[in-house]
Amino acid sequence: MGSLTINYCWTIATASEILSGRKFGDSNSSLRPVPPVLCCRCKTNVRAFASQRSVKKSRKKGKTEKTDTAVPEKYLLSDDVNPDYVEDSKKNISLLDTSEAGTSVPMIPSRGSVLQACIITSGLIGLLGVVIREVSHVASEGGLPIVDCSVEIPLTFQMWHVELITGLVILVSSCRYLLLKIWPDFAKSSEAANSQVLSSLEPLDYIVVSLLPGISEELLFRGALLPLFGINWQSVMAVASIFGILHLGSGRKYSFAVWATFVGIAYGYATLLSSTVLVPMAAHAVNNLVGGIIWRYTSNSSK
């Protein structure tokens, strides 16, 4: 900046010589001093001009940087957007990504849906058992070569049946507890089935979902199908196999079907010993209740 001021003052001095009639560079000619005020003004003007140019350049650079780093308005959040809503949206997106990855969360039906399904299903199964027993009775009375189910396996009860029922409950409950400890696949199937059915129920509801299936299923399988197939071990195994296969689904795998087949064999054997369907009915219902209570107070899914 200093050299620029000196050159600019020298140019003004030369111009004054030309106007006065003196030649430029004449040794005899003495340079007329330039007033210091003029030089100061020149300095001020040059500095002001340079500063204005630098300001303009900086403004242009600032505009360029703003243009390069500008974010479109559609990607900006307005003041009306709630940050909590944005966070919830992110959480929902993450949940969707998790479900798409294959880790879906199982749906738990409501209490009313479970009770309604239990009542309707048990009613239909029990009705089918009653129809088979009545049809076989009518056909047998009419002289057809069909076993009368109501005569072969009646609804009778004696006091010693209590001991048989107690033994069945201890046997089935002990075996279930042991298998839950040593058979992971069976434990997983049992947990899935119990979680789907029992999670939304109240404690008193366990009585309903234990008694109705126990009574209706035994009326059909041990009270109707077993006498039709024959009162023997072959019929016990056949009916138990059908009973086990029908317990597949709703999270229950083949391990649970094997377990249901074993339980069906135990109930069939008790039916042959007692010659009544009330023994397997009572044992089945009590075992359901015991299993539900144990699951409620031991499983993490019920808490």
Side-chain angles (χ1 to χ4, degrees):
M1 185 66 72
S3 61
L4 179 61
T5 306
I6 294 172
N7 293 334
Y8 199 69
C9 293
W10 179 260
T11 304
I12 295 174
T14 306
S16 62
E17 289 180 354
I18 295 172
L19 292 175
S20 61
R22 296 182 180 180
K23 295 182 179 179
F24 176 73
D26 190 359
S27 58
N28 296 325
S29 62
S30 60
L31 295 177
R32 182 179 295 178
V34 180
V37 178
L38 182 60
C39 292
C40 293
R41 289 179 180 176
C42 293
K43 289 182 181 179
T44 305
N45 293 334
V46 172
R47 289 178 180 177
F49 179 74
S51 62
Q52 289 177 359
R53 292 185 62 185
S54 61
V55 170
K56 290 181 179 179
K57 289 182 179 180
S58 62
R59 287 180 179 177
K60 289 182 179 180
K61 290 182 179 179
K63 289 181 179 180
T64 305
E65 292 176 355
K66 289 181 180 179
T67 304
D68 295 338
T69 59
V71 180
E73 294 182 356
K74 64 180 181 179
Y75 295 109
L76 297 176
L77 291 177
S78 62
D79 296 336
D80 298 334
V81 177
N82 189 355
D84 296 335
Y85 175 78
V86 177
E87 294 295 331
D88 293 339
S89 301
K90 292 180 179 179
K91 292 179 181 179
N92 293 334
I93 293 173
S94 63
L95 289 176
L96 291 175
D97 294 339
T98 304
S99 61
E100 290 177 357
T103 57
S104 59
V105 180
M107 298 298 295
I108 303 299
S110 63
R111 173 176 176 265
S113 300
V114 173
L115 294 177
Q116 182 180 8
C118 179
I119 293 172
I120 294 175
T121 305
S122 299
L124 293 176
I125 293 175
L127 179 61
L128 181 59
V130 171
V131 169
I132 292 175
R133 286 172 67 89
E134 290 299 323
V135 170
S136 66
H137 175 72
V138 173
S140 178
E141 290 290 332
L144 296 177
I146 297 177
V147 177
D148 189 350
C149 298
S150 60
V151 174
E152 295 292 332
I153 307 294
L155 293 171
T156 58
F157 180 77
Q158 298 179 15
M159 288 303 299
W160 68 272
H161 292 164
V162 176
E163 298 177 1
L164 184 57
I165 294 171
T166 304
L168 276 175
V169 172
I170 295 174
L171 174 65
V172 173
S173 298
S174 301
C175 291
R176 181 195 292 117
Y177 181 80
L178 181 62
L179 289 177
L180 289 175
K181 297 297 182 181
I182 65 175
W183 197 356
D185 190 63
F186 173 70
K188 185 177 180 180
S189 298
S190 299
E191 180 66 23
N194 290 332
S195 299
Q196 188 177 18
V197 176
L198 303 178
S199 295
S200 59
L201 298 182
E202 299 294 333
L204 293 179
D205 297 334
Y206 284 36
I207 299 176
V208 177
V209 298
S210 298
L211 290 179
L212 293 183
I215 294 173
S216 61
E217 290 176 4
E218 294 307 317
L219 183 61
L220 174 62
F221 289 98
R222 257 63 64 176
L225 297 181
L226 179 60
L228 280 180
F229 291 173
I231 308 298
N232 50 51
W233 272 104
Q234 290 80 6
S235 298
V236 170
M237 297 296 294
V239 173
S241 299
I242 298 173
F243 182 75
I245 293 173
L246 292 178
H247 277 77
L248 288 172
S250 300
R252 295 173 294 193
K253 301 180 181 179
Y254 289 99
S255 57
F256 198 89
V258 172
W259 162 251
T261 302
F262 166 75
V263 173
I265 293 173
Y267 293 154
Y269 178 67
T271 304
L272 294 182
L273 289 178
S274 62
S275 298
T276 178
V277 74
L278 290 180
V279 170
M281 281 183 179
H284 193 162
V286 174
N287 275 318
N288 287 345
L289 183 60
V290 171
I293 293 174
I294 292 175
W295 177 85
R296 181 178 180 86
Y297 292 102
T298 58
S299 176
N300 294 327
S301 301
S302 61
K303 297 178 182 179

